[in-house]
Amino acid sequence: QVQLVESGGGLVQAGGSLRLSCAASGSIFTINTMGWYRQAPGKQRELVVDITNGGSTNYADSVKGRFTISRDNAKNTVYLQMNSLKPEDTAVYYCNARDFRYSYWGQGTEVTVSS
């Protein structure tokens, strides 16, 4: 089992920045990819970005150039730096970790961007 705890959400004005953190614990040695997803009201959950153990990243087109994922392996933590935030970035952001068999989710952290 893997446990994920997110932090860092909040309310910010358009154009502002936030940094989300996701701390992983448990059987993390099996994890090969971590990432962030988001779900806006009335919409499906979508990938924001993920990163493999090798450092390869996959960003959604809507966040390229504005969001940056990074990981601190010593702290078992993944970060999402979000700059130039837009109202359409408003959503609940979920941390995800997966291995070859399972996908794990955090409880979510809410990000609200006001116009």
Side-chain angles (χ1 to χ4, degrees):
Q1 284 288 335
V2 173
Q3 294 79 43
L4 303 172
V5 178
E6 302 109 330
S7 60
L11 173 65
V12 64
Q13 289 189 331
S17 299
L18 282 174
R19 189 176 82 153
L20 306 182
S21 300
C22 172
S25 61
S27 301
I28 58 175
F29 57 89
T30 67
I31 298 303
N32 53 51
T33 302
M34 294 188 69
W36 293 92
Y37 288 69
R38 66 185 181 187
Q39 187 166 17
K43 294 188 177 181
Q44 289 188 328
R45 192 172 297 188
E46 62 177 5
L47 173 70
V48 177
V49 58
D50 59 25
I51 184 168
T52 67
N53 285 349
S56 296
T57 57
N58 178 31
Y59 287 90
D61 288 342
S62 59
V63 306
K64 283 180 181 176
R66 300 188 298 121
F67 291 11
T68 303
I69 191 170
S70 60
R71 61 193 297 173
D72 184 334
N73 291 328
K75 296 182 178 180
N76 299 319
T77 299
V78 171
Y79 303 97
L80 181 64
Q81 178 66 44
M82 304 185 294
N83 298 328
S84 302
L85 282 160
K86 304 175 181 180
E88 51 263 44
D89 294 318
T90 294
V92 178
Y93 285 70
Y94 296 91
C95 182
N96 174 265
R98 56 186 184 270
D99 58 25
F100 293 107
R101 296 182 63 187
Y102 300 109
S103 183
Y104 304 92
W105 295 93
Q107 81 284 356
T109 185
E110 192 164 355
V111 172
T112 302
V113 184
S114 63
S115 57

